[in-house]
Amino acid sequence: MRLTDFWTRLEEAFGPGYAASMARDQVLSQLGGRTIEQALRSGEQTHVVWRAVVAAYPDRVPARLR
């Protein structure tokens, strides 16, 4: 998954304003206690980060975006 696709999915699932805030502030245990931004900056693959988002928020991510 390309980084632009990742951000498009995140914004579609959470809204543009909340997606940016969530990526910066929300620590996910599925990412080893890192935020989305920290995981991406450290080189984690986008599909791994996306799976962590889906696992953490199964009710927020529409099935078509999974």
Side-chain angles (χ1 to χ4, degrees):
M1 171 188 307
R2 292 181 182 200
L3 190 57
T4 55
D5 295 333
F6 173 86
W7 287 110
T8 298
R9 288 182 187 202
L10 195 67
E11 289 178 358
E12 193 169 331
F14 295 93
Y18 186 62
S21 174
M22 187 181 110
R24 181 180 56 250
D25 301 326
Q26 185 67 43
V27 173
L28 300 180
S29 61
Q30 296 88 342
L31 295 174
R34 297 176 291 176
T35 66
I36 291 169
E37 285 186 354
Q38 289 170 332
L40 292 172
R41 269 197 312 268
S42 70
E44 193 69 63
Q45 294 181 10
T46 54
H47 72 275
V48 171
V49 177
W50 183 248
R51 286 183 192 148
V53 171
V54 171
Y57 300 97
D59 296 338
R60 289 289 307 257
V61 180
R64 64 184 173 70
L65 295 177
R66 292 179 183 207

